[in-house]
Amino acid sequence: MSKQQIGDDYDIAGSAAAGEEVHHRETFPVLVIGALGVVYGDIGTSPIYAFREAIHAASSDGGLIRADVLGIVSMIFWALTLIVTIKYVLFVLRADNDGEGGILSLMALARASYKTRPTLILSIGIIGASLFYGDAVITPAISVLSAVEGLEVVAPALGPYIVPITLVILLTLFAVQRFGTARMAIVFGPITLIWFLALGFFGLWHLFDDLSILVSVNPYYGFDYVVRNPGTAFATIGTVFLAVTGAEALYADLGHFGRRPIVTAWMWIVFPCLLLNYFGQGAFVLAHAEAAKNPFFEMFPPWALLPMVLLATAATVIASQAVISGAYSLSRQAVQLNLLPRLTIEHTSEKQSGQVYLPRVNFFLGLVVILLVLGFERSTNLAAAYGIAVTGNMLVTTTLLFIVMSRIWKWRLWVSVLVTAGFLIIDITFVGANLIKVIDGGWASLVVAIVIVIVMFTWVRGSRQLAAKVRKDEVPLDLIANKMAQSPPTLVPGTAVFLTGDPASSPAALLHSLKHYKVLHEKNVILTVVTAASPVVKKNERARIEPINDLFVRVTLTFGYMEQPNIPRTLAICRQQGLKFDIMTTSFFLSRRSLKAAVRSEMPYWQDRLFIALAHTASDATEYFQIPTGRVVEIGTQVNI
């Protein structure tokens, strides 16, 4: 899969230097503990607010009765079982793209099963990725805010300081991102383990307040609630979904830990502890109806309340960090797949190339999160904005999973349809239940998702239009190479590397160099960098060399979409294959384009302007491809689009 890049005559490539990454052979228990902190941070903080919001929705019509509590706990139990345990653990986690997961990996996997690379699947992937960003800005805001609100239970006088304290925590969290999370990650897993054990312990303690809560495992009570409460059922189902937000992280972080540690952590630690806590909260409310306002914090004895508030705050910060890191990873994949312009990517760890920091993404997330806290002020208000983006993302995952089932796993069509239909019924139910939140705050995450969709579609469409326009003016490379061989200009010592997105055409930098300088290097490499549909490319498939004549050679470097392209280092592979060059006598020629809006364009004027603005924000290609700045020659051209 190759992609025309703006500002230079070449393609971009991968993102995470998987071939060069130092992989550490961690013991299985270490991987399980690590998965707790990274994978389950989001879903692990849901008990703070999910059950509370559900009983508030159920009691909005005038009161809360015993059968309502049983119905809510039953729906939470089956939501966790059907969505996380069955859908994600048993099915989605098996749809790995060479070990990598996430919505864009699934999109690339599904799209690669077609020779024509359908645009429809690309569009579905863009929508899914955009919805993830919508979720990524809500999670830190609602998680940290809901935890800090626990201080009101400890000391009601602290109420006016909840928002300021939350803002300080969030500002600090986003400010330290540039230093990397390697040191913090060491304690993420153990703290999250303590958190889950505390959830399970206090849930089990209060389970004995009313053991009849255990009958909620019978789905009858969930259906009974819906039948008895048609007026509030949809709203309650939407809040019940809060219990499974974060499930997508199981798949998104597949490449970090592998399927077995993620599944083990869920089945033996996370799932049991979450169930104990939700059932414990239900039993506590049955025995203490007055605790329905904030059952999570009110269920703790006085001696444990402050420690649990502090632990909850730590857990929510960890959950926020996991989402922020996921946004970095997704953005990096989007850049490699040419869904976004090149973004500055800073590696924060010398040992693990997967740990990256993207300044622009961090600023965007931080700004929106702060605005959400200031605008909504209470986690209850934010709960109305939470869920729409997540449910939409899960719906996209189910759609792409059907393609994987039928085309890659080669399941019989009726089996694929049957399994997918079951998941779609659940997904569509939750999407519908959350759509009623749009007016009350759900618009916030949708606005973020829509903005990202517009940006991605504009970049993809503009890139294709620019590539088509440039292609009309290009000269076949073979024609130039033959002319130069028959009647060479003045030859100068050394090697010239010309980067291009179309290996069959002469790079603009080469043509302009011949036109203005009237000279040619003794050895000229026409270099194309492409991105594969897989996250990692094997070393023996990295470089392909095709001699044209004594003066020219065509080289194609292939990277996976999770790899960080390093052209000088990768060219060393070409030397092993017989390409003779000395990096100290090699010059890299890049064509830098200045874009102008044309009078007539296939895109609307506003989209032209947006595309040009995005192109201007693209990070420097020299830095992105890690080319020595002293060896680069940039030649500018102007293009009307």
Side-chain angles (χ1 to χ4, degrees):
M1 179 192 302
S2 64
K3 314 168 295 297
Q4 186 72 25
Q5 276 299 300
I6 308 309
D8 305 277
D9 237 1
Y10 49 84
D11 287 6
I12 65 171
S15 163
E20 300 157 8
E21 181 177 356
V22 179
H23 295 283
H24 299 280
R25 294 175 179 260
E26 302 283 7
T27 62
F28 184 73
V30 171
L31 289 174
V32 172
I33 300 299
L36 287 177
V38 176
V39 179
Y40 295 110
D42 189 0
I43 199 171
T45 55
S46 295
I48 300 175
Y49 49 81
F51 182 73
R52 180 194 70 196
E53 295 304 318
I55 60 177
H56 287 178
S59 60
S60 62
D61 61 351
L64 186 72
I65 63 175
R66 178 184 182 83
D68 294 341
V69 177
L70 296 178
I72 290 169
V73 175
S74 180
M75 286 189 285
I76 291 177
F77 170 78
W78 285 104
L80 289 169
T81 301
L82 294 176
I83 294 178
V84 185
T85 306
I86 295 180
K87 177 181 176 180
Y88 279 91
V89 171
L90 294 185
F91 289 92
V92 177
L93 285 182
R94 297 182 184 275
D96 66 289
N97 191 347
D98 287 344
E100 290 293 336
I103 195 69
L104 289 182
S105 286
L106 187 61
M107 181 271 288
L109 185 65
R111 202 165 181 235
S113 67
Y114 294 87
K115 292 182 179 180
T116 57
R117 300 291 194 271
T119 302
L120 176 61
I121 297 180
L122 176 65
S123 300
I124 294 174
I126 288 175
I127 293 172
S130 301
L131 289 169
F132 176 87
Y133 287 105
D135 172 44
V137 296
I138 300 289
T139 297
I142 189 173
S143 297
V144 177
L145 188 55
S146 62
V148 176
E149 284 173 350
L151 291 174
E152 286 184 302
V153 181
V154 178
L158 292 176
Y161 302 100
I162 297 302
V163 170
I165 293 173
T166 301
L167 291 177
V168 169
I169 294 173
L170 289 171
L171 285 171
T172 303
L173 177 63
F174 283 101
V176 301
Q177 292 299 313
R178 66 181 185 274
F179 300 114
T181 59
R183 294 179 180 177
M184 290 187 292
I186 296 175
V187 298
F188 278 5
I191 289 178
T192 310
L193 175 60
I194 295 172
W195 169 251
F196 278 115
L197 293 178
L199 290 180
F201 172 76
F202 287 107
L204 180 61
W205 183 353
H206 286 287
L207 190 65
F208 294 95
D209 290 353
D210 194 328
L211 284 173
S212 66
I213 192 69
L214 294 175
V215 301
S216 297
V217 297
N218 187 339
Y220 162 79
Y221 291 94
F223 287 113
D224 175 66
Y225 174 83
V226 173
V227 173
R228 287 186 301 101
N229 301 275
T232 59
F234 231 38
T236 304
I237 291 173
T239 56
V240 163
F241 183 79
L242 296 174
V244 296
T245 53
E248 192 72 20
L250 275 74
Y251 185 48
D253 293 311
L254 181 62
H256 294 284
F257 301 98
R259 182 176 181 273
R260 187 163 164 250
I262 291 175
V263 173
T264 300
W266 172 256
M267 297 303 297
W268 291 98
I269 301 174
V270 181
F271 192 34
C273 290
L274 288 179
L275 290 183
L276 283 173
N277 193 266
Y278 283 121
F279 276 84
Q281 286 192 56
F284 181 68
V285 169
L286 288 179
H288 308 84
E290 71 282 358
K293 182 180 179 181
N294 197 344
F296 180 80
F297 286 109
E298 291 181 8
M299 70 189 294
F300 300 121
W303 59 266
L305 183 55
L306 182 58
M308 284 303 297
V309 170
L310 297 176
L311 183 58
T313 303
T316 54
V317 169
I318 292 171
S320 302
Q321 179 61 61
V323 172
I324 294 169
S325 299
Y328 294 158
S329 179
L330 183 72
S331 301
R332 186 177 59 177
Q333 291 183 37
V335 169
Q336 316 311 357
L337 295 171
N338 198 32
L339 303 179
L340 289 174
R342 283 189 314 272
L343 298 171
T344 300
I345 300 175
E346 299 179 8
H347 292 267
T348 59
S349 172
E350 296 179 356
K351 297 181 178 180
Q352 297 184 4
S353 62
Q355 293 187 15
V356 294
Y357 167 65
L358 283 75
R360 293 179 195 171
V361 176
N362 187 67
F363 177 79
F364 169 76
L365 291 178
L367 177 62
V368 177
V369 168
I370 297 303
L371 290 176
L372 286 173
V373 173
L374 290 173
F376 287 86
E377 295 185 337
R378 305 292 298 182
S379 63
T380 296
N381 299 332
L382 270 170
Y386 205 23
I388 294 180
V390 187
T391 54
N393 195 299
M394 289 183 175
L395 185 60
V396 169
T397 297
T398 300
T399 304
L400 295 175
L401 184 63
F402 170 75
I403 299 174
V404 173
M405 288 177 180
S406 57
R407 296 187 61 86
I408 298 179
W409 295 350
K410 305 297 182 183
W411 286 12
R412 293 182 179 180
L413 183 60
W414 69 269
V415 176
S416 301
V417 170
L418 186 64
V419 173
T420 304
F423 294 150
L424 283 176
I425 291 173
I426 299 172
D427 292 338
I428 292 174
T429 299
F430 280 118
V431 168
N434 279 278
L435 281 178
I436 64 176
K437 298 180 178 181
V438 172
I439 298 177
D440 295 327
W443 55 266
S445 58
L446 289 182
V447 166
V448 173
I450 290 171
V451 169
I452 301 298
V453 165
I454 291 173
V455 168
M456 286 187 174
F457 273 113
T458 297
W459 184 254
V460 171
R461 186 180 181 185
S463 298
R464 290 177 178 176
Q465 181 174 319
L466 177 62
K469 184 157 288 190
V470 170
R471 197 172 294 118
K472 293 179 181 178
D473 302 326
E474 287 179 340
V475 179
L477 177 61
D478 291 340
L479 177 63
I480 294 294
N482 290 335
K483 283 189 175 182
M484 294 299 101
Q486 295 171 5
S487 180
T490 302
L491 298 180
V492 296
T495 301
V497 178
F498 296 92
L499 278 77
T500 178
D502 184 2
S505 301
S506 300
L510 171 62
L511 297 178
H512 283 277
S513 177
L514 289 171
K515 178 180 178 180
H516 295 289
Y517 303 137
K518 315 295 184 184
V519 298
L520 192 68
H521 283 73
E522 293 176 334
K523 180 68 68 175
N524 298 276
V525 177
I526 309 303
L527 178 64
T528 302
V529 181
V530 298
T531 298
S534 57
V536 180
V537 173
K538 296 179 181 178
K539 186 177 180 180
N540 59 0
E541 299 175 355
R542 177 79 66 203
R544 186 173 72 251
I545 301 175
E546 179 187 349
I548 299 176
N549 54 36
D550 291 340
L551 293 175
F552 290 90
V553 60
R554 186 184 287 114
V555 175
T556 301
L557 302 181
T558 304
F559 294 88
Y561 61 79
M562 288 294 291
E563 298 181 287
Q564 179 69 42
N566 185 318
I567 287 179
R569 184 183 300 175
T570 310
L571 283 176
I573 300 176
C574 299
R575 191 180 300 160
Q576 299 172 6
Q577 298 181 14
L579 180 64
K580 305 295 183 182
F581 77 96
D582 180 3
I583 191 65
M584 299 309 298
T585 60
T586 298
S587 297
F588 293 84
F589 287 81
L590 281 65
S591 176
R592 179 168 294 279
R593 295 195 181 99
S594 175
L595 304 181
K596 301 289 184 180
V599 177
R600 293 183 179 180
S601 173
E602 295 179 8
M603 296 191 299
Y605 180 77
W606 67 267
Q607 200 168 30
D608 264 344
R609 302 304 303 178
L610 176 58
F611 176 69
I612 292 172
L614 291 172
H616 287 163
T617 64
S619 63
D620 184 68
T622 302
E623 178 183 352
Y624 183 81
F625 286 105
Q626 304 181 58
I627 303 172
T629 54
R631 312 304 313 170
V632 174
V633 178
E634 290 189 349
I635 298 178
T637 58
Q638 182 172 305
V639 180
N640 293 321
I641 62 168

